[in-house]
Structures are given as structure tokens and as C-alpha cells.
């Protein structure tokens, strides 16, 4: 054994051994219980960052631990390689997306291998490979046949910079989530998946995911957004050609229908320009629509805008009061909610109230608070609480809650509306007008219309030699070699669809493909998916709570309905790890600085480029834009993978944010060197030592033996029940401290064998966390197989029983003494001994004792 620990020698040695022995390769084994551990796969951005390192380290610890517990562990890795992130990065680096992606995959694979992660690399996949997206195209055709996929014209979020459509979830504060440019509304024909068909099922199962964080299921519930109310038809005074004779609205407040005084339509509503035609309002309405197209049209985005609108020049009729209601187009009305039309009741909705005051519209009170009388003319804010119905015809005097049911029944009876359920969730628009994505397998024929490609023609290959056009525009529409085809039905010349699929389609089923990634007869081998799925533990960032996780749940239901899988939920347990954070540093001239652009420490830090003082900002999530990042390669070169892993695990529990600390990394490095030196000092004495009787150990060795079993119990519980690796590591540190105070000497009464047992315990318990380090020490102890093949240690309850107990004595709640007593002593004996304690007696001084409290054979509190 070398005297000093050298990770640059140890780590490559064991990485090579793992590869040569295929230690992490697995296959289905009906005789063993499976455990499928999966971290969200990365897109090949070029380099892994500390967020990756933390995420994958957490997963690797669990995978290794479960393998040592006897599970058949599937732990795969691959690449989310299609989509805008890779394409935009390639453009920025003057490269082709295919070249950029494959080069990055090669580089990042090498980085991950250097971290020692226990991936079954034989299952590696990349979503940009034809053998992957072929089956995605096949599924699209099946969904199209079943009516689950369709094409329609709709307003979409359009990013001019990225030249593509964005899902609502991809628009942040009116800006593109990737490039940060302004997003506008644009009308396009798009392909959609009918995720709304599964809205209720997705919602109901949110309460059947006990292994998921509540915050994630709550976010999904809110996004699905179930509302129970009524659909109400408001007859139009003038009906445009080709349109129905009424505007249908959805409301949860049908009790306020008598107070509806105006109607608001979303700017994107197709009826808006038609209603304005010939009224003299065309210009004002058209300008308003154009201006609204530049606003963030999400529910979240509208909160920052002042409520505004324009009169269309048209009217509808309140079905209850028969009053004329002016129809406005307003920025707070959304096509994505309800019908895109809002029945505006200003007396009982604050948004409507503000709008009515601004445009001098009537306010009619129809729900009075108990014991009060509101007046629409003098109200300063809307009243939205329960109350008694007024100004509401036959429903006068009812509670408004009862009136909801009564009015809904009245609407149904008179063919004016009906009770209904509405969902905020909208169908998933999957069309992207970008090059780097899976081609949608549809054909446009002048005679037959839109026709699905023949299955035998799959995959519809993306031409990887295509040159991108200026501004990132897709070359596919102008590539005759791609678009020219024949109609699968009539055989006449036709054109291929040139839209590609949203990258979230690829990530919605990759976990199934991992079960049989080389299978060529279908999306996956059914027997393999039946064995491995669902994923037992999924790990990733909470930022994916809506998009990726909801879409994956939806896709799994589609597969279930098509008879391809037996389950509905893809992930049994979910861990959303916290972010990796670091303080920002900025210079007056050069703004944000990378760590290597700063010299000095504390308040003496200066910019290396100009020498000016550096301002230290708040601790924030590591990001390239703020330059508060640490390159994992630097840590690997300086400290090695195991120290890097140890820091990520010890600095914070997985679900909490981790704050970067150079001192923390140094501390982990020192701990590993302490353990190494401990082994080095004892190595010769404990070689070959075996067998000892715990009852024959001296007091010093008995403590080590007991501490070993305590540590096994603590570490096992911390990993199994809570994933609290930080406290697990702390427990091992305590065991190491217990051993460090013991000097190697003669082997008497099983001393060497006991120390060997304790050292093996340390190695086994640390092996999931610092695997290279543990493999080397395990070999040093004389073992000829990988430590990963050793069974996880189990504690002996009898070894935890102590011969003596340490009892703390308090007088009136303050510490006044300590004493030891035989472990078998009962509460009466402990009480008697406490009352005789010399230190405690000094504080009693003859005062009458009111009571004596004995707490769990740990503490005695004497109250005087």
C-alpha cells in the first residue's frame, strides 16, 4: 500500500477495471428483484457542470447501494440530443448541429466516466439517432390513426430569433426560454397531441404518487387546472357570416350572471376581427391585436400588465336580463382558458371591476354581503365573497352557493347553457419549425390531403448534411431531396411535412427505450419493459415539474392505451435535487467575473484584468450568464472524482440547495487522506486477521465494535429512508475518529481482527460515495473481488446494547452533573443515584424537591 493517497493513479485504475469486467452491465433476471434508478439525461451542451455532477452523484450512490443490497440494478445514461438547445449552441459556435452534438457527446461521456458513475454504457442512446426516432415516428402514426394527433390552425408563441414555436411553458416573462428574445403571437397550422383527453386521469393520479414531492404534484394539479362551473351562451346581436349565433363562455361564477354587463374576448379569438368589421372599430381593433401579439400571453405574464381593451363595436345579449352587453377585446382574456371569452361581472371580480372603472362600464351588484348593502356606483373594489343574491329575478334571497346550482339547472332547462368541467391544460403543440429534430412522418398530397407515411418507409431520415439557413431557419422546406416523395395512398407526387417534433417528445419515453435500446422490432421489447418499468427512483431538477414530467406521464398513458405497457405511471419515486449555488463577483468595468478572473480573498478581492475592487454579490444558482460557475474538470484535476463526489454529498441534503465552498472541498479531501493514513498505519497488523469473540474484547475494542454497528445502522437508515448522505458520511467520520485515537500495538484478545472489522465497515459504507477510494482499500485488505459485489453490512442489535449508561443531571432545567450507571438500572435506581449526586446537591441546598423527572434513561431533571 502506498503511503499517500493519489487519486490520479487510483481512479483510472478502477475505471478501467469496471469497464473490463462489465461490472455495471445488467440483464433481466426473474430470480432477482429489480431496481431501476434513473437521472434525467442531459442534452449535450459541451461540458458537464456542477449541477450534473451533483445530480448524477446522488443517483450513483443509490444505484451502488441497491446493488450491494442484492437488487438487480438498471442504471443507464444517454443524451437528449435533439432540439433548440443543441441547434442554437451549434449556430453560436459556427458548427453544424450534428457535428456539434456528436462531438459533445464524446467529450461529455469521457467526463462522466472520469466521475466513476456506475452506468451500463452498453445501453447508451442518443435521441438524434435514427434507430431511436424511428419508433417515435411509428408512435406518431399510431396516435394519428387513433385521433390522438391532429393538425389545426392556431395562434402560437413564436420566437423570431429561434424561428420556431414555443409551448406556453417555454415562454418566461414574454421572452423565449432559450435565447431571451421577445415572443409574439403568430397564426400557424400546427400538429398537436390530445393530452386534454387525459386531463382528469392525470389529475386524479397526482394523489396516487406518494413517492413524489408534494410541491411537484401541486404544480401539476395547478397546471391541469380543473374548474367546475357552467358553459353559458350569450346570443349575438349581429351574427357574422359563418359563425354561430352566440358566444359561449365558461365561468365558475354562474351565480353572478345577472351582474354581467360586458363581454371580453381574447385578442386571438377568431371572432374579434369579424365583429369589428363594418363598425368603424376595425383599425383600433387591428392595432390592439397587433400590440397584444407582443405581450406575454401566459397567465403569469399578464399579471404585470395593466388591464386594457378595445370595444369591437358589437353587442351580445345577457341570457337572463336580456340587456345589451358591449363586446370588448381585452388583454386579460386568454384563449388558453375556457373558450377565450369572459363574462365580465365587475361588481364581483376585481379584474372586471378595474376594467369597468377604466372604461366607464356599468357595475351591478348581485351578491350582497350579510348585513350590508353594496352600491355599484360607490364601490371601491369588487366583492368576491359569499353572500345573498339580489337583483337576480327568481333567485333573489338565495345564498349564492345555492344559486350556482339553481342557475345552472335553469340554464340547462332553457337551453341557455349547462354544467361543465373546464381544464386549464391545453393540447400539446409539438410542431417546431426547426431543422434539428425528428421529422414528423406525414405527407401532403394534393388529391388525398394529409396522409401518414408507410411504416416500411420509417425512419423518415433527417438529412444530417443539410446546411442551416441564415438566422437559424430550417433548410428542410427548401430541400427538394427531403420534401419530394410520393403519396402513400395514390402514389402521385407529394411533399413531406417539414416541421420537426418538439424535443420533449423524445424525453417522454426514453426511459422505456433504455429497457431494450438495441431492439429493432418495436419501441422496446415488451418483456424487458414489463420487468424493468416503472422507474423505481427518478432524479432531476424541479424545473421539469410541469413540462417533462407531465408529458412523460401523458405518453405513458398513450402507450398503456395502445397495449404496449401495463402501467400508467412511469416513475414510482421522484427526487428533485436542489441547485448548486455560488456567490457572484462583479467588476465595475468588466461586470460579472469568472472565479479565475478574481484574485485575493475576502474584502481584498480585485479584478485580474483591471485591478479594480470586486463587489461580491449574493449566493445564486450557478449559471454561465453570471459566471459564478466552477468547472468540474478543475476539481477532477486537483482533487479527483471521489473528493468531488464527497463534497456534493456532504455539503447539504439532496433536496436542499448546495452552496459552493472551497473549504468544503478541502475538508472532504482531508478526510479521505485521514482514512488512507489510518489504513496505512494498521495495514501490516490487520492483514490476515480474522475471527474474534466480541465478549472477549477489552473496553477500548468494545467501543470500536459497538461504534461500528451503530454506524452501520445509521448509514443504512440515512440512505434507505431519507437519502441523507450528509449525515451518513458524518456517521462514518465519527467511526474513523473512534479508531484514530488507538495506536497499533500487539494483537491481543482479537484486537487486530476487531480493527479489521471496523475498517471493512468504513470501506463498505463509503463505497457508494467514493467508489475508487473504497475499491483500492478493499483490495488492500486482501479481497480479490470488487467491493460492489460485497453484501451491504447489517448491524447486530445486541452489539448496540451498552454496559453502562451516561446520565445527565439537571436542576430546574440546567445542567448540574453527570454520572454513569449499569445499563440494567431501572428508573428508581437512576432517580436515587441522581439525588445523591454531589454536584447536583450543591444546587439543591436543602430546598424542598417538588418532583424528579427521569427521561428515557438519559436525563434526570430535579425540580426545586
Amino acid at each position: 500500500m502506498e503511503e499517500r493517497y493519489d487519486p490520479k493513479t487510483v481512479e483510472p485504475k478502477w475505471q478501467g477495471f469496471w469497464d473490463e469486467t462489465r461490472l455495471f452491465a445488467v440483464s433481466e433476471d426473474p430470480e432477482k428483484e429489480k431496481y431501476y434508478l434513473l437521472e434525467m439525461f442531459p442534452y449535450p451542451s459541451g461540458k458537464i457542470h456542477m449541477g450534473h455532477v451533483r445530480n448524477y452523484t446522488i443517483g450513483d450512490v443509490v444505484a451502488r447501494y441497491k446493488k450491494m443490497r442484492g437488487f438487480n440494478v438498471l442504471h443507464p445514461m444517454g443524451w437528449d440530443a435533439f432540439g433548440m438547445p443543441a441547434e442554437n449552441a451549434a449556430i453560436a459556435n459556427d458548427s453544424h448541429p450534428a457535428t456539434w452534438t456528436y462531438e459533445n457527446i464524446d467529450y461529455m461521456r469521457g467526463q462522466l466516466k472520469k466521475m466513476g458513475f456506475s452506468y451500463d454504457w452498453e445501453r447508451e442512446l442518443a435521441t438524434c439517432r435514427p434507430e431511436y426516432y424511428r419508433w417515435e415516428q411509428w408512435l406518431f402514426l399510431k396516435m394519428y390513426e387513433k385521433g390522438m394527433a391532429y393538425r389545426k390552425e392556431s395562434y402560437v408563441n413564436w420566437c423570431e430569433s429561434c424561428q420556431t414555436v414555443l409551448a406556453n411553458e417555454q415562454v418566461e416573462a414574454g421572452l423565449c426560454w432559450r435565447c431571451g428574445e421577445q415572443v409574439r403571437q403568430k397564426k400557424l397550422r400546427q400538429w398537436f397531441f390530445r393530452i386534454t383527453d387525459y386531463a382528469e386521469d392525470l389529475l386524479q393520479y397526482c394523489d396516487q404518487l406518494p413517492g413524489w414531492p408534494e410541491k411537484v404534484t401541486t404544480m401539476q394539479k395547478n397546471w391541469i387546472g380543473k374548474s367546475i362551473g357552467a358553459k353559458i351562451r350569450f346570443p349575438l346581436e349581429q351574427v357574422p357570416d359563418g359563425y354561430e349565433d352566440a358566444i359561449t363562455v365558461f365561468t365558475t361564477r354562474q351565480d353572478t350572471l345577472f351582474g354581467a354587463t360586458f363581454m371580453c374576448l381574447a385578442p386571438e379569438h377568431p371572432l374579434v376581427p369579424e365583429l369589428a368589421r363594418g363598425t368603424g372599430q376595425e383599425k383600433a381593433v387591428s392595432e390592439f391585436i397587433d400590440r397584444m401579439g407582443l405581450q406575454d400571453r401566459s397567465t403569469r405574464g399578464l399579471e404585470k400588465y395593466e388591464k386594457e381593451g378595445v370595444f369591437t363595436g358589437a353587442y351580445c345579449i345577457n341570457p337572463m336580463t336580456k340587456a345589451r352587453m358591449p363586446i370588448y377585446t381585452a388583454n386579460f382574456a386568454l384563449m388558453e382558458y375556457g373558450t377565450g371569452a369572459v363574462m365580465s361581472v365587475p361588481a364581483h371580480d376585481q379584474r372586471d371591476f378595474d376594467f369597468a372603472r377604466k372604461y366607464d362600464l356599468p357595475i351591478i351588484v348581485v351578491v350582497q354581503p350579510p348585513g350590508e348593502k353594496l352600491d355599484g356606483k360607490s364601490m371601491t373594489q369588487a366583492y368576491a365573497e359569499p353572500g345573498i343574491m339580489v337583483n337576480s329575478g327568481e333567485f333573489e334571497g338565495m345564498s349564492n352557493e345555492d344559486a350556482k346550482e339553481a342557475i345552472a339547472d335553469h340554464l340547462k332547462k332553457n337551453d341557455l347553457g349547462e354544467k361543465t368541467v373546464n381544464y386549464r391544460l391545453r393540447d400539446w403543440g409539438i410542431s417546431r419549425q426547426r431543422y434539428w429534430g425528428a421529422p414528423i412522418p406525414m405527407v401532403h398530397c394534393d388529391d388525398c390531403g394529409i396522409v401518414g407515411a408507410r411504416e416500411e418507409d420509417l425512419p423518415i431520415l433527417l438529412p444530417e448534411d443539410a446546411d442551416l439557413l441564415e438566422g437559424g431557419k430550417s433548410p428542410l422546406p427548401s430541400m427538394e431531396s427531403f420534401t419530394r416523395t410520393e403519396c402513400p395512398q395514390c402514389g402521385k407526387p407529394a411533399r413531406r411535412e417539414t416541421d420537426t417534433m418538439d424535443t420533449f417528445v423524445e424525453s417522454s419515453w426514453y426511459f422505456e427505450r433504455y429497457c431494450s435500446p438495441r431492439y429493432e422490432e418495436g419501441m422496446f421489447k415488451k418483456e424487458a419493459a414489463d420487468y424493468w418499468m416503472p422507474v423505481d427512483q427518478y432524479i432531476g431538477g424541479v424545473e421539469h415539474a410541469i413540462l417533462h414530467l407531465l408529458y412523460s406521464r401523458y405518453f405513458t398513458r398513450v402507450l398503456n392505451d395502445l397495449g404496449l405497457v401495463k402501467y400508467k405511471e412511469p416513475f414510482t419515486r421522484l427526487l428533485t435535487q436542489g441547485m448548486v449555488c455560488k456567490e457572484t463577483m462583479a467588476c465595475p468595468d468588466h461586470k460579472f467575473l469568472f472565479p479565475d478572473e478574481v484574485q485575493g480573498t475576502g474584502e481584498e478581492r480585485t479584478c485580474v484584468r483591471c485591478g479594480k475592487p470586486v463587489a461580491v454579490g449574493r449566493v445564486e444558482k450557478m449559471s454561465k450568464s453570471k459566471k459564478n460557475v466552477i468547472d468540474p474538470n478543475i476539481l477532477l484535476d486537483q482533487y479527483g472524482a471521489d473528493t468531488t463526489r464527497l463534497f456534493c454529498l456532504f455539503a447539504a441534503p439532496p433536496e436542499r440547495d448546495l452552496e459552493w465552498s472551497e473549504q468544503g472541498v478541502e475538508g472532504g479531501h482531508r478526510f479521505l487522506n485521514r482514512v488512507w493514513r489510518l489504513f496505512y498505519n494498521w495495514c501490516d497488523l490487520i492483514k490476515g486477521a480474522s475471527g474474534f469473540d466480541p465478549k472477549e474484547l477489552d473496553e477500548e475494542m468494545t467501543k470500536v465494535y459497538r461504534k461500528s454497528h451503530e454506524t452501520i445502522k445509521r448509514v443504512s437508515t440515512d440512505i434507505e429512508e431519507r437519502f441523507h448522505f450528509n449525515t451518513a458520511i458524518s456517521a462514518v467520520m465519527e467511526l474513523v475518529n473512534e479508531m484514530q485515537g488507538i495506536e497499533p500495538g500487539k494483537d491481543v484478545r482479537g484486537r487486530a481482527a476487531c480493527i479489521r472489522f471496523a475498517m471493512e465497515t468504513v470501506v463498505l459504507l463509503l463505497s457508494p460515495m467514493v467508489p475508487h477510494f473504497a475499491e483500492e482499500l478493499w483490495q488492500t485488505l486482501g479481497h480479490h473481488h470488487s467491493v460492489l459485489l460485497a453484501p451491504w453490512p447489517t448491524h447486530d442489535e445486541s452489539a448496540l446494547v451498552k454496559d453502562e449508561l451516561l446520565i445527565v443531571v439537571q436542576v430546574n432545567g440546567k445542567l448540574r452533573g453527570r454520572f454513569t450507571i449499569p445499563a440494567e438500572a431501572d428508573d428508581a435506581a437512576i432517580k436515587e443515584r441522581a439525588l445523591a449526586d454531589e454536584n447536583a446537591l450543591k444546587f439543591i441546598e436543602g430546598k424542598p424537591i417538588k418532583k424528579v423527572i427521569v427521561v428515557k434513561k438519559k436525563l434526570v431533571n430535579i425540580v426545586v
Side-chain angles (χ1 to χ4, degrees), residues 55-127:
N55 184 2
Y56 303 151
T57 298
I58 291 167
D60 195 55
V61 172
V62 180
R64 288 174 176 272
Y65 166 76
K66 288 293 183 179
K67 187 174 180 68
M68 294 176 74
R69 293 298 296 259
F71 288 86
N72 191 25
V73 177
L74 174 58
H75 188 206
M77 175 50 69
W79 312 96
D80 190 9
F82 264 150
M84 282 195 298
E87 187 171 334
N88 286 349
I91 293 169
N93 288 273
D94 195 25
S95 179
H96 189 280
T99 304
W100 169 263
T101 298
Y102 294 129
E103 287 179 352
N104 287 349
I105 286 174
D106 289 342
Y107 185 80
M108 292 173 71
R109 184 192 303 112
Q111 285 186 297
L112 294 179
K113 286 190 172 185
K114 282 185 178 181
M115 287 300 303
F117 297 135
S118 58
Y119 296 130
D120 181 355
W121 284 106
E122 295 175 18
R123 294 175 183 263
E124 181 185 12
L125 59 81
T127 59

Side-chain angles (χ1 to χ4, degrees), residues 349-494:
D349 182 280
Q350 190 61 42
R351 176 195 59 193
D352 296 345
F353 181 89
D354 294 339
F355 194 88
R357 284 282 188 251
K358 181 173 183 176
Y359 295 102
D360 196 23
L361 295 165
I363 299 174
I364 299 174
V365 177
V366 293
V367 180
Q368 290 281 13
E372 295 183 44
K373 188 173 181 179
L374 299 175
D375 181 359
K377 294 180 180 179
S378 60
M379 289 174 71
T380 57
Q381 62 182 27
Y383 177 72
E385 302 302 316
I388 305 301
M389 299 292 291
V390 297
N391 301 322
S392 299
E394 65 187 89
F395 308 101
E396 190 108 2
M398 296 177 67
S399 77
N400 73 300
E401 290 299 322
D402 291 341
K404 285 183 180 179
E405 288 295 312
I407 290 175
D409 291 340
H410 177 88
L411 292 169
K412 176 72 172 175
K413 183 178 179 181
N414 292 278
D415 198 28
L416 298 171
E418 59 191 350
K419 293 179 186 177
T420 190
V421 174
N422 186 69
Y423 298 92
R424 177 174 177 259
L425 183 67
R426 285 291 173 262
D427 281 342
W428 177 11
I430 61 112
S431 287
R432 297 295 179 266
Q433 291 67 43
R434 294 299 291 246
Y435 159 70
W436 191 239
I440 294 175
M442 303 301 289
V443 172
H444 297 268
C445 174
D446 291 339
D447 293 338
C448 303
I450 300 177
V451 182
R454 289 184 290 258
E455 286 187 24
E456 57 266 30
D457 291 340
L458 301 181
I460 305 302
L461 291 171
L462 180 74
E464 293 192 359
D465 58 349
D467 293 326
L468 292 185
L469 303 181
E470 187 177 352
K473 290 182 180 179
S474 172
L476 297 181
S478 59
M479 290 184 67
E480 196 171 328
S481 60
F482 176 78
T483 60
R484 188 175 56 201
T485 186
E486 64 177 36
C487 175
Q489 284 188 3
C490 68
K492 293 181 179 179

Side-chain angles (χ1 to χ4, degrees), residues 249-286:
V249 306
F250 170 79
T251 180
T252 59
R253 293 296 309 272
Q254 60 267 29
D255 54 314
T256 64
L257 177 53
F258 284 83
T261 59
F262 60 97
M263 176 73 67
C264 288
L265 301 181
E268 304 88 1
H269 199 294
L271 197 53
V272 170
E274 299 300 323
L275 291 175
R277 186 168 287 120
T279 66
Q281 288 292 102
E282 296 101 321
K283 186 173 185 293
V285 168
S286 177

Side-chain angles (χ1 to χ4, degrees), residues 628-677:
N628 60 334
V629 293
I630 298 295
D631 185 351
N633 285 341
I634 295 174
L635 296 179
L636 289 173
D637 290 344
Q638 187 171 351
Y639 298 103
D642 283 343
T643 294
T644 305
R645 292 168 61 116
L646 192 67
F647 167 71
C648 289
L649 297 168
F650 188 60
E655 69 278 6
R656 301 276 296 277
D657 288 348
L658 181 155
E659 184 175 343
W660 168 258
S661 164
E662 186 78 40
Q663 293 77 18
V665 179
E666 287 281 359
H669 187 62
R670 285 196 300 271
F671 170 68
L672 293 182
N673 278 283
R674 275 201 300 134
V675 176
W676 186 274
R677 285 194 299 273

Side-chain angles (χ1 to χ4, degrees), residues 228-245:
I228 299 172
K231 278 187 177 179
I232 306 173
R233 287 181 284 278
F234 289 74
L236 284 166
E237 198 172 68
Q238 296 288 331
V239 182
D241 291 341
Y243 286 85
E244 293 184 8
D245 61 358

Side-chain angles (χ1 to χ4, degrees), residues 61-71 73 763-768 778 786-793:
V61 172
V62 180
R64 288 174 176 272
Y65 166 76
K66 288 293 183 179
K67 187 174 180 68
M68 294 176 74
R69 293 298 296 259
F71 288 86
V73 177
V763 175
L764 291 168
L765 297 182
L766 284 179
S767 63
W778 191 246
S786 169
V787 68
L788 193 59
L789 299 178
W792 186 259

Side-chain angles (χ1 to χ4, degrees), residues 582-636:
K582 188 183 182 300
E583 63 190 10
T584 58
M585 293 179 287
C587 161
D589 291 347
H590 300 104
K591 308 306 177 188
F592 287 118
L593 300 174
F594 287 110
D596 59 3
E597 295 177 316
V598 178
Q599 59 188 0
T601 58
E603 297 181 1
E604 304 299 321
R605 283 181 269 204
T606 57
C607 174
V608 298
R609 296 161 69 181
C610 65
K612 291 183 179 179
V614 166
V616 178
R618 64 181 182 177
V619 174
E620 299 184 50
K621 174 187 175 182
M622 285 189 179
S623 69
K624 292 178 182 177
S625 62
K626 295 188 176 178
K627 301 186 177 181
N628 60 334
V629 293
I630 298 295
D631 185 351
N633 285 341
I634 295 174
L635 296 179
L636 289 173

